[in-house]
Amino acid sequence: MSVHVEKKDENISIHIDKISLISAISLQNNLYKIAEVQIIKPDTTEIYLEDDIVLSESFEEYKKYGEELISFSQSNPELKDYLFPVASLVWVKISFQKNNTQKIIHLISALEVHEIRNIVWEIKKVFEEQHISWNFSETPLIQQVKLRKFISENYSNEYDEEQVGLFQWIDAEEKVSIIFEWDFDNQIVTSLLFKNLATQGLSYDECIDIVENMDNSDKDVLLKLSLWDRKTWDILPYEFGHASINFELTLDFFHYTKLKNIFPFFGVLQKSIPVLWYDYPDFLEKKEYEQIQEKFDNLLTQITIFWQKIALSEKNILFYVWANAHLIRTSIEITPIEMVEFLEYDFQENTFKEIQMQLYKEFKKLSPIFARYIKV
């Protein structure tokens, strides 16, 4: 791994050679609000093999599964994306404005991964060489470590070895879940009122009081005036972005990374953690692929069991062991405007269409009036 920094006027670019895909995605998730993070996959596949991995007790098993994933994907090119190990090395370019330097260092430093810690050290060293100023305090990070330790000691579930090998299947309806439920129609109408009544001296709280006493028919009129005859991809009034929606998403890592590339505004609220089981590509369900599916099953099941086995003892390796087909669970934060952009996107893949359909179904419960104007 090496780091190169380019400085041009008020813009800075950090080039990182050969870091793992999972670390690159972590950087992308943490920096999406203040930096553009480009990830480039090389033609050949190499696996992350730094000291924190090589010196681990489970290194040989980790290496074996990585090599098996690469070999299997090479002999079955149609499965290449799904078998791509998250430990594979990629190139990353981080571009941002100079005035965000302090935030960049803080957000990257907050990621408790040995590989990323090394990257931070290299970045700081290059910054000093190029006289790029940055202020940084360890205090917030120390407090986060204390918090994680307290939660781990007081709230973690006890690990049961008898559970190893038991899987849970994730149905399509379980892949999307709204985290916090409240009335979005009320929030949007309140924002509409506040914009148009601000000159009359009404505060936001006063607008909330008006909306809470308003009939649904009146809310419908206000939304209709804003959205009537709206066509797909028409820009929504900015007041509709005043609220935010948090939902939990469960899908395979391959589709998760594709989703993040299509919609970089999806704000991931915490690390994307693996859950039990994995997804199949649609074509693998066909009869002519039965033998390949059996090998696919066997390999990914072994990796899942290995992940469970080292869940508490080998945290350095734990971060890197899974493949693109393994399911992850994460939480996403978007505004209603971004929600509409996602729901109206013309996906060709069934996985995304299922998520769209389920998310729209859940969203209608929170915003039955506004949902009528979304062109799904």
Side-chain angles (χ1 to χ4, degrees), residues 159-352:
Y159 183 67
D160 185 356
E161 289 189 2
E162 293 182 3
Q163 293 294 316
V164 172
L166 298 178
F167 304 107
Q168 65 186 69
W169 187 257
I170 307 294
D171 293 324
E173 286 144 9
E174 297 175 316
K175 291 184 178 180
V176 175
S177 172
I178 303 289
I179 298 174
F180 302 115
E181 298 187 4
W182 58 81
D183 192 317
F184 271 93
D185 287 335
N186 276 9
Q187 290 194 53
I188 293 167
V189 171
T190 300
S191 190
L192 289 170
L193 287 183
F194 180 66
K195 177 197 174 183
N196 291 283
L197 297 178
T199 55
Q200 298 180 27
L202 264 69
S203 68
Y204 206 87
D205 281 346
E206 288 171 313
C207 291
I208 290 174
D209 290 338
I210 294 172
V211 173
E212 286 180 346
N213 293 307
M214 188 182 288
D215 292 331
N216 281 343
S217 57
D218 291 340
K219 298 175 194 174
D220 194 13
V221 169
L222 291 171
L223 288 173
K224 187 179 291 185
L225 287 169
S226 295
L227 302 172
W228 190 251
D229 283 341
R230 178 183 174 269
K231 298 176 179 62
T232 304
W233 291 108
D234 277 357
I235 296 173
L236 271 68
Y238 71 81
E239 296 89 356
F240 285 71
H242 193 273
S244 64
I245 302 163
N246 300 304
F247 62 95
E248 190 175 79
L249 191 62
T250 302
L251 75 170
D252 63 82
F253 193 77
F254 169 59
H255 283 99
Y256 167 74
T257 53
K258 286 187 73 173
L259 201 59
K260 284 287 293 178
N261 288 331
I262 298 171
F263 299 104
F265 54 70
F266 271 28
V268 177
L269 301 182
Q270 85 284 324
K271 288 181 184 175
S272 307
I273 54 173
V275 296
L276 304 183
W277 215 251
Y278 45 86
D279 261 357
Y280 293 110
D282 291 341
F283 67 84
L284 209 56
E285 301 282 0
K286 296 177 182 177
K287 191 170 183 181
E288 59 264 36
Y289 286 99
E290 279 182 0
Q291 287 187 337
I292 296 177
Q293 188 190 58
E294 187 177 342
K295 293 178 182 177
F296 185 94
D297 258 333
N298 184 46
L299 177 55
L300 269 69
T301 298
Q302 286 184 57
I303 293 171
T304 305
I305 293 173
F306 173 58
W307 188 94
Q308 291 175 287
K309 186 176 75 174
I310 64 171
L312 295 180
S313 60
E314 296 279 351
K315 291 192 176 178
N316 283 346
I317 282 187
L318 196 66
F319 191 63
Y320 301 98
V321 295
W322 32 303
N324 263 1
H326 281 98
L327 293 171
I328 61 164
R329 182 182 290 130
T330 189
S331 58
I332 305 287
E333 180 181 25
I334 57 176
T335 68
I337 291 176
E338 293 162 347
M339 168 76 84
V340 172
E341 186 176 337
F342 171 70
L343 292 175
E344 293 184 347
Y345 194 86
D346 185 20
F347 287 112
Q348 301 304 310
E349 294 187 58
N350 288 333
T351 297
F352 291 137

Side-chain angles (χ1 to χ4, degrees), residues 3-5 7 121-132 134:
V3 173
H4 171 65
V5 175
K7 184 172 61 170
W121 187 83
E122 290 290 337
I123 291 173
K124 288 178 178 178
K125 188 171 73 171
V126 177
F127 277 4
E128 288 173 356
E129 290 171 357
Q130 297 197 19
H131 306 291
I132 298 173
W134 47 276

Side-chain angles (χ1 to χ4, degrees), residues 23 47 58 72 95 110 139 166 171 217 263 359:
S23 286
I47 300 293
S58 302
F72 195 5
S95 305
T139 304
L166 298 178
D171 293 324
S217 57
F263 299 104
L359 188 54

